[in-house]
Amino acid sequence: MLGSIPDLLRLVAVPVFGWAAYRDVKTRRVPNRTWTPLAALAVVLLLWDAYSVWTGPTAVGQRLFLIRVAISLGFVIPLSYGFWLIGGFGGADAKAFMLAAVLFPVYPVYYLPIPSVALPLQQTAIGVFSLTVLSNTVLAGVVYPMAVAAGNLARGRFSLAMFIGRPVAAASVTEEYGRLLESPDGFDRGGLDLDALRMYLQWRGCSLADIRVDPEQHRRPTSLPAVPNDPGDGSLATDGGDPVAGDGTNGRDDGTTAEAVTDATDQIDDPWGAERFLADIDHSAYGTSPEQLRDGLDVLVEQDEVWISPGIPFLVPMFAGLVVSLTYGDVLFSLLQAVGLA
Protein backbone atom coordinates (compact mmCIF):
# COMPACT_ATOMS: atom_id res chain seq x y z
CA MET A 1 0.00 0.00 0.00
CA LEU A 2 1.30 3.44 -0.98
CA GLY A 3 0.54 6.89 0.34
CA SER A 4 2.17 10.09 1.52
CA ILE A 5 4.48 9.79 4.52
CA PRO A 6 2.05 11.75 6.81
CA ASP A 7 -0.87 9.54 5.78
CA LEU A 8 1.12 6.36 6.37
CA LEU A 9 2.20 7.64 9.79
CA ARG A 10 -1.45 8.31 10.63
CA LEU A 11 -2.05 4.54 10.50
CA VAL A 12 -0.23 4.34 13.85
CA ALA A 13 -3.56 5.48 15.31
CA VAL A 14 -5.28 2.21 14.36
CA PRO A 15 -3.53 -0.11 16.88
CA VAL A 16 -3.62 2.63 19.54
CA PHE A 17 -7.39 3.04 19.17
CA GLY A 18 -7.76 -0.74 19.11
CA TRP A 19 -5.89 -1.06 22.40
CA ALA A 20 -7.94 1.78 23.91
CA ALA A 21 -11.17 0.03 22.84
CA TYR A 22 -9.97 -3.18 24.51
CA ARG A 23 -9.18 -1.27 27.71
CA ASP A 24 -12.58 0.41 27.54
CA VAL A 25 -14.33 -2.97 27.47
CA LYS A 26 -12.22 -4.52 30.21
CA THR A 27 -11.85 -1.64 32.67
CA ARG A 28 -13.78 1.42 31.39
CA ARG A 29 -10.51 3.25 32.05
CA VAL A 30 -7.99 4.52 29.47
CA PRO A 31 -4.83 6.16 30.85
CA ASN A 32 -4.20 9.75 29.76
CA ARG A 33 -0.70 8.78 28.65
CA THR A 34 -2.33 6.73 25.86
CA TRP A 35 -3.16 9.89 23.93
CA THR A 36 -0.10 12.08 24.55
CA PRO A 37 2.31 10.59 21.95
CA LEU A 38 -0.47 10.36 19.36
CA ALA A 39 -1.49 13.97 20.02
CA ALA A 40 2.09 15.13 19.48
CA LEU A 41 2.25 13.12 16.24
CA ALA A 42 -1.08 14.60 15.11
CA VAL A 43 0.18 18.17 15.53
CA VAL A 44 3.42 17.40 13.67
CA LEU A 45 1.56 15.76 10.77
CA LEU A 46 -0.95 18.61 10.56
CA LEU A 47 1.88 21.13 10.32
CA TRP A 48 3.62 18.91 7.76
CA ASP A 49 0.50 18.80 5.59
CA ALA A 50 -0.08 22.54 6.03
CA TYR A 51 3.45 23.28 4.83
CA SER A 52 3.06 20.94 1.83
CA VAL A 53 -0.25 22.53 0.82
CA TRP A 54 0.94 26.08 1.43
CA THR A 55 3.94 25.56 -0.84
CA GLY A 56 1.77 23.76 -3.41
CA PRO A 57 0.95 25.04 -6.87
CA THR A 58 -2.75 26.04 -6.48
CA ALA A 59 -4.55 28.56 -4.30
CA VAL A 60 -7.75 26.49 -4.59
CA GLY A 61 -6.10 23.55 -2.86
CA GLN A 62 -4.86 25.82 -0.11
CA ARG A 63 -8.32 27.27 0.54
CA LEU A 64 -9.98 23.84 0.58
CA PHE A 65 -7.39 22.52 3.00
CA LEU A 66 -7.81 25.48 5.36
CA ILE A 67 -11.61 25.23 5.27
CA ARG A 68 -11.56 21.50 6.02
CA VAL A 69 -9.07 21.91 8.84
CA ALA A 70 -11.15 24.77 10.27
CA ILE A 71 -14.30 22.60 10.23
CA SER A 72 -12.50 19.66 11.81
CA LEU A 73 -10.90 21.70 14.59
CA GLY A 74 -13.67 24.25 15.00
CA PHE A 75 -16.62 21.85 14.97
CA VAL A 76 -15.57 18.34 16.03
CA ILE A 77 -13.44 19.47 19.00
CA PRO A 78 -16.10 21.77 20.55
CA LEU A 79 -18.77 19.14 19.84
CA SER A 80 -16.76 16.48 21.66
CA TYR A 81 -16.12 18.82 24.58
CA GLY A 82 -19.80 19.74 24.75
CA PHE A 83 -20.89 16.10 24.85
CA TRP A 84 -18.39 15.52 27.66
CA LEU A 85 -19.80 18.46 29.63
CA ILE A 86 -23.35 17.11 29.49
CA GLY A 87 -22.26 13.56 30.27
CA GLY A 88 -22.78 12.12 26.80
CA PHE A 89 -19.10 11.18 26.47
CA GLY A 90 -16.62 9.93 28.98
CA GLY A 91 -13.29 11.71 29.28
CA ALA A 92 -11.48 9.14 27.12
CA ASP A 93 -14.21 9.31 24.45
CA ALA A 94 -13.94 13.09 24.21
CA LYS A 95 -10.14 12.99 24.05
CA ALA A 96 -10.27 10.35 21.32
CA PHE A 97 -12.60 12.43 19.14
CA MET A 98 -10.57 15.60 19.72
CA LEU A 99 -7.47 13.67 18.71
CA ALA A 100 -9.20 12.39 15.56
CA ALA A 101 -10.10 15.98 14.65
CA VAL A 102 -6.41 16.96 14.69
CA LEU A 103 -5.04 13.72 13.25
CA PHE A 104 -7.60 13.34 10.43
CA PRO A 105 -8.86 16.76 9.37
CA VAL A 106 -8.83 15.81 5.66
CA TYR A 107 -9.14 12.51 3.83
CA PRO A 108 -5.98 10.39 3.71
CA VAL A 109 -5.30 8.48 0.51
CA TYR A 110 -3.87 4.96 0.33
CA TYR A 111 -3.15 3.40 -3.06
CA LEU A 112 -3.62 -0.34 -3.36
CA PRO A 113 -1.63 -2.55 -5.76
CA ILE A 114 -4.75 -2.62 -7.96
CA PRO A 115 -5.08 -0.18 -10.84
CA SER A 116 -7.24 2.87 -10.08
CA VAL A 117 -8.20 1.70 -6.57
CA ALA A 118 -7.47 3.84 -3.52
CA LEU A 119 -8.77 3.84 0.04
CA PRO A 120 -11.04 5.16 1.41
CA LEU A 121 -13.40 4.12 -1.36
CA GLN A 122 -16.27 6.50 -0.52
CA GLN A 123 -15.42 10.13 0.13
CA THR A 124 -17.79 13.00 0.91
CA ALA A 125 -18.25 16.27 -0.89
CA ILE A 126 -17.17 18.26 2.17
CA GLY A 127 -13.98 16.21 2.55
CA VAL A 128 -13.62 16.41 6.35
CA PHE A 129 -12.43 12.97 7.42
CA SER A 130 -13.01 13.45 11.17
CA LEU A 131 -16.73 13.97 10.39
CA THR A 132 -16.70 10.64 8.54
CA VAL A 133 -15.16 8.94 11.58
CA LEU A 134 -17.82 10.58 13.76
CA SER A 135 -20.78 9.55 11.57
CA ASN A 136 -19.49 5.99 11.16
CA THR A 137 -19.03 5.77 14.94
CA VAL A 138 -22.64 6.83 15.51
CA LEU A 139 -23.89 4.24 13.02
CA ALA A 140 -21.78 1.53 14.67
CA GLY A 141 -23.18 2.59 18.06
CA VAL A 142 -26.76 2.20 16.83
CA VAL A 143 -26.14 -1.51 16.30
CA TYR A 144 -25.54 -2.02 20.04
CA PRO A 145 -29.09 -1.51 21.41
CA MET A 146 -30.47 -3.54 18.52
CA ALA A 147 -28.19 -6.43 19.45
CA VAL A 148 -29.11 -6.08 23.14
CA ALA A 149 -32.83 -6.19 22.36
CA ALA A 150 -32.42 -9.19 20.04
CA GLY A 151 -30.47 -11.08 22.70
CA ASN A 152 -33.08 -10.40 25.39
CA LEU A 153 -35.90 -11.35 23.04
CA ALA A 154 -34.21 -14.63 22.15
CA ARG A 155 -33.88 -15.46 25.86
CA GLY A 156 -37.47 -14.55 26.63
CA ARG A 157 -36.52 -11.53 28.72
CA PHE A 158 -39.29 -8.95 28.46
CA SER A 159 -39.02 -5.63 30.23
CA LEU A 160 -39.05 -1.90 29.59
CA ALA A 161 -35.26 -2.18 29.96
CA MET A 162 -34.79 -4.89 27.33
CA PHE A 163 -33.52 -2.44 24.67
CA ILE A 164 -30.77 -0.98 26.82
CA GLY A 165 -29.99 -3.50 29.52
CA ARG A 166 -29.75 -7.08 30.72
CA PRO A 167 -30.59 -8.88 33.96
CA VAL A 168 -27.85 -9.92 36.38
CA ALA A 169 -27.79 -11.40 39.86
CA ALA A 170 -28.09 -8.58 42.39
CA ALA A 171 -25.30 -10.07 44.47
CA SER A 172 -22.84 -9.78 41.58
CA VAL A 173 -23.46 -6.22 40.35
CA THR A 174 -20.14 -5.07 41.81
CA GLU A 175 -18.48 -7.22 39.14
CA GLU A 176 -20.19 -5.23 36.38
CA TYR A 177 -19.85 -1.82 34.80
CA GLY A 178 -22.89 0.29 34.06
CA ARG A 179 -25.98 1.58 35.84
CA LEU A 180 -28.98 0.09 37.61
CA LEU A 181 -32.17 0.40 35.60
CA GLU A 182 -34.38 -0.02 38.65
CA SER A 183 -35.54 1.92 41.68
CA PRO A 184 -38.04 0.86 44.37
CA ASP A 185 -40.76 2.27 42.09
CA GLY A 186 -39.77 0.15 39.08
CA PHE A 187 -37.94 0.87 35.81
CA ASP A 188 -35.64 3.88 36.07
CA ARG A 189 -33.10 4.95 33.45
CA GLY A 190 -31.43 7.20 36.04
CA GLY A 191 -30.56 4.46 38.49
CA LEU A 192 -27.44 4.06 40.60
CA ASP A 193 -24.08 4.14 38.79
CA LEU A 194 -22.21 0.94 39.64
CA ASP A 195 -18.88 2.77 39.86
CA ALA A 196 -20.46 4.99 42.53
CA LEU A 197 -21.68 1.87 44.33
CA ARG A 198 -18.14 0.48 44.43
CA MET A 199 -16.85 3.83 45.71
CA TYR A 200 -19.44 3.76 48.50
CA LEU A 201 -18.59 0.20 49.54
CA GLN A 202 -14.88 0.97 49.49
CA TRP A 203 -15.49 4.14 51.52
CA ARG A 204 -17.35 2.31 54.29
CA GLY A 205 -15.13 -0.79 54.14
CA CYS A 206 -17.68 -3.51 53.53
CA SER A 207 -18.91 -5.65 50.66
CA LEU A 208 -22.31 -5.81 49.02
CA ALA A 209 -22.65 -9.31 50.48
CA ASP A 210 -22.26 -7.85 54.00
CA ILE A 211 -25.03 -5.34 53.31
CA ARG A 212 -27.37 -7.96 51.83
CA VAL A 213 -26.94 -10.19 54.91
CA ASP A 214 -27.94 -7.45 57.37
CA PRO A 215 -29.45 -4.48 55.53
CA GLU A 216 -31.20 -2.99 58.58
CA GLN A 217 -27.92 -2.68 60.49
CA HIS A 218 -26.14 -1.10 57.53
CA ARG A 219 -28.99 1.36 56.95
CA ARG A 220 -28.28 2.96 60.32
CA PRO A 221 -25.94 5.93 60.12
CA THR A 222 -24.34 4.75 63.36
CA SER A 223 -22.93 1.76 61.46
CA LEU A 224 -20.64 4.01 59.41
CA PRO A 225 -16.90 4.02 60.14
CA ALA A 226 -15.42 6.87 62.14
CA VAL A 227 -12.49 7.02 59.74
CA PRO A 228 -13.70 5.99 56.27
CA ASN A 229 -11.46 4.62 53.55
CA ASP A 230 -10.39 6.36 50.38
CA PRO A 231 -13.29 5.60 47.99
CA GLY A 232 -11.05 5.21 44.93
CA ASP A 233 -12.49 5.77 41.47
CA GLY A 234 -15.03 2.97 41.41
CA SER A 235 -13.11 0.67 39.08
CA LEU A 236 -13.39 -3.08 39.54
CA ALA A 237 -10.09 -3.02 41.41
CA THR A 238 -11.94 -1.24 44.26
CA ASP A 239 -15.03 -3.39 44.63
CA GLY A 240 -15.69 -2.85 48.32
CA GLY A 241 -14.35 -5.85 50.16
CA ASP A 242 -12.33 -5.42 53.33
CA PRO A 243 -9.42 -3.00 52.79
CA VAL A 244 -8.13 -3.57 56.34
CA ALA A 245 -8.71 -7.27 56.64
CA GLY A 246 -8.99 -8.84 60.07
CA ASP A 247 -8.84 -5.74 62.29
CA GLY A 248 -12.58 -5.70 63.04
CA THR A 249 -12.84 -1.92 62.74
CA ASN A 250 -14.39 -1.66 59.28
CA GLY A 251 -11.51 0.51 58.12
CA ARG A 252 -11.15 2.62 61.30
CA ASP A 253 -7.92 3.15 63.20
CA ASP A 254 -9.33 3.99 66.66
CA GLY A 255 -10.34 0.48 67.72
CA THR A 256 -14.01 1.34 68.27
CA THR A 257 -16.84 -0.67 66.80
CA ALA A 258 -19.06 0.71 64.08
CA GLU A 259 -22.13 0.48 66.32
CA ALA A 260 -20.48 2.68 68.93
CA VAL A 261 -19.90 5.57 66.55
CA THR A 262 -22.47 8.35 66.94
CA ASP A 263 -22.46 11.73 65.23
CA ALA A 264 -24.93 14.43 66.23
CA THR A 265 -25.18 15.54 62.61
CA ASP A 266 -26.00 12.04 61.36
CA GLN A 267 -29.57 11.17 62.25
CA ILE A 268 -31.94 8.52 60.97
CA ASP A 269 -32.99 10.85 58.15
CA ASP A 270 -29.80 9.78 56.35
CA PRO A 271 -30.39 6.07 55.63
CA TRP A 272 -27.29 4.20 54.50
CA GLY A 273 -25.20 7.29 55.33
CA ALA A 274 -25.66 8.42 51.74
CA GLU A 275 -25.41 12.14 52.48
CA ARG A 276 -22.38 11.66 54.70
CA PHE A 277 -20.61 9.63 52.01
CA LEU A 278 -21.17 12.23 49.30
CA ALA A 279 -20.24 15.08 51.66
CA ASP A 280 -17.09 13.30 52.84
CA ILE A 281 -15.48 12.43 49.49
CA ASP A 282 -13.46 15.18 47.85
CA HIS A 283 -14.91 14.65 44.37
CA SER A 284 -18.18 13.69 42.72
CA ALA A 285 -19.35 10.09 42.63
CA TYR A 286 -20.25 10.38 38.94
CA GLY A 287 -23.10 12.77 39.68
CA THR A 288 -24.79 10.40 42.12
CA SER A 289 -27.35 11.95 44.48
CA PRO A 290 -28.16 10.65 48.00
CA GLU A 291 -31.59 9.56 46.71
CA GLN A 292 -30.05 7.52 43.86
CA LEU A 293 -27.66 5.81 46.26
CA ARG A 294 -30.39 5.00 48.77
CA ASP A 295 -32.80 3.74 46.09
CA GLY A 296 -30.10 1.59 44.52
CA LEU A 297 -29.13 0.00 47.82
CA ASP A 298 -32.79 -0.62 48.68
CA VAL A 299 -33.24 -2.46 45.37
CA LEU A 300 -30.05 -4.49 45.75
CA VAL A 301 -30.92 -5.80 49.21
CA GLU A 302 -34.52 -6.65 48.31
CA GLN A 303 -34.16 -8.34 44.91
CA ASP A 304 -32.25 -11.37 43.68
CA GLU A 305 -32.05 -10.21 40.07
CA VAL A 306 -31.83 -6.67 38.70
CA TRP A 307 -31.63 -5.04 35.29
CA ILE A 308 -28.53 -3.02 34.50
CA SER A 309 -27.47 -1.00 31.52
CA PRO A 310 -23.86 -1.91 30.78
CA GLY A 311 -23.59 1.26 28.75
CA ILE A 312 -21.74 1.47 25.46
CA PRO A 313 -17.97 1.45 25.82
CA PHE A 314 -17.89 4.20 23.20
CA LEU A 315 -14.30 3.64 22.11
CA VAL A 316 -15.40 0.29 20.66
CA PRO A 317 -17.76 1.76 18.02
CA MET A 318 -15.23 4.54 17.50
CA PHE A 319 -12.50 2.01 16.68
CA ALA A 320 -14.92 0.25 14.32
CA GLY A 321 -15.85 3.62 12.81
CA LEU A 322 -12.19 4.49 12.24
CA VAL A 323 -11.43 1.18 10.53
CA VAL A 324 -14.50 1.47 8.28
CA SER A 325 -13.63 5.09 7.51
CA LEU A 326 -10.07 4.21 6.46
CA THR A 327 -11.24 1.37 4.23
CA TYR A 328 -14.74 1.90 2.88
CA GLY A 329 -15.18 5.56 3.75
CA ASP A 330 -18.36 7.38 4.70
CA VAL A 331 -21.26 4.94 5.16
CA LEU A 332 -23.83 7.65 5.93
CA PHE A 333 -22.92 9.57 2.77
CA SER A 334 -23.41 6.36 0.75
CA LEU A 335 -26.82 5.80 2.30
CA LEU A 336 -27.86 9.37 1.58
CA GLN A 337 -26.66 9.00 -2.02
CA ALA A 338 -28.67 5.80 -2.38
CA VAL A 339 -31.91 7.62 -1.49
CA GLY A 340 -31.03 10.69 -3.52
CA LEU A 341 -30.29 13.04 -0.62
CA ALA A 342 -26.61 13.56 -1.35
Side-chain angles (χ1 to χ4, degrees):
M1 184 169 62
L2 300 176
S4 70
I5 293 176
D7 283 348
L8 291 173
L9 288 174
R10 285 183 171 94
L11 294 178
V12 172
V14 176
V16 175
F17 275 80
W19 181 84
Y22 172 80
R23 286 276 302 181
D24 203 16
V25 171
K26 291 295 184 180
T27 69
R28 295 299 200 276
R29 304 292 189 278
V30 180
N32 285 331
R33 63 179 180 272
T34 303
W35 311 115
T36 305
L38 206 54
L41 176 65
V43 172
V44 170
L45 296 180
L46 180 58
L47 294 175
W48 189 334
D49 279 344
Y51 175 79
S52 299
V53 171
W54 194 255
T55 57
T58 66
V60 174
Q62 295 170 2
R63 285 195 298 270
L64 280 175
F65 177 81
L66 291 176
I67 291 171
R68 288 163 177 167
V69 170
I71 292 173
S72 186
L73 302 185
F75 178 75
V76 176
I77 289 179
L79 181 68
S80 303
Y81 183 71
F83 270 102
W84 174 76
L85 282 178
I86 65 174
F89 281 169
D93 305 328
K95 291 169 189 172
F97 273 111
M98 292 178 186
L99 178 59
V102 181
L103 190 61
F104 294 106
V106 299
Y107 269 77
V109 180
Y110 303 103
Y111 298 98
L112 299 179
I114 303 173
S116 303
V117 176
L119 302 178
L121 299 174
Q122 177 65 68
Q123 299 193 19
T124 63
I126 193 171
V128 179
F129 191 68
S130 59
L131 289 180
T132 290
V133 176
L134 179 60
S135 66
N136 283 345
T137 298
V138 172
L139 291 177
V142 168
V143 174
Y144 178 80
M146 296 172 61
V148 169
N152 286 325
L153 188 63
R155 293 172 176 82
R157 300 167 177 169
F158 300 98
S159 166
L160 291 174
M162 65 180 293
F163 290 93
I164 57 174
R166 59 186 176 88
V168 299
S172 65
V173 296
T174 54
E175 301 170 13
E176 305 283 348
Y177 283 110
R179 179 180 295 273
L180 280 179
L181 292 174
E182 299 184 46
S183 71
D185 297 326
F187 173 70
D188 185 356
R189 290 195 63 179
L192 176 62
D193 187 292
L194 298 183
D195 282 358
L197 172 64
R198 279 184 286 271
M199 290 174 64
Y200 170 78
L201 295 173
Q202 177 77 5
W203 174 81
R204 70 176 295 165
C206 67
S207 67
L208 181 58
D210 296 332
I211 289 179
R212 284 173 56 84
V213 167
D214 192 355
E216 291 307 315
Q217 170 61 25
H218 287 86
R219 267 194 190 93
R220 299 171 188 167
T222 53
S223 69
L224 298 176
V227 182
N229 300 296
D230 183 336
D233 66 355
S235 66
L236 284 176
T238 55
D239 61 351
D242 188 4
V244 190
D247 67 359
T249 66
N250 207 23
R252 295 179 302 278
D253 61 5
D254 59 358
T256 61
T257 63
E259 293 76 14
V261 179
T262 302
D263 188 332
T265 65
D266 215 3
Q267 303 301 322
I268 196 63
D269 61 352
D270 184 21
W272 302 108
E275 289 185 13
R276 183 189 287 188
F277 162 64
L278 294 171
D280 183 67
I281 63 176
D282 59 1
H283 52 84
S284 169
Y286 304 101
T288 301
S289 68
E291 291 74 19
Q292 283 177 312
L293 180 54
R294 292 184 189 119
D295 287 349
L297 289 167
D298 286 342
V299 168
L300 290 172
V301 299
E302 293 170 2
Q303 299 188 26
D304 293 327
E305 187 177 78
V306 294
W307 282 81
I308 67 167
S309 170
I312 300 176
F314 209 71
L315 286 175
V316 175
M318 185 177 183
F319 173 62
L322 176 62
V323 172
V324 171
S325 299
L326 287 168
T327 53
Y328 178 79
D330 198 297
V331 176
L332 179 60
F333 188 75
S334 292
L335 295 175
L336 293 176
Q337 277 189 324
V339 296
L341 295 177

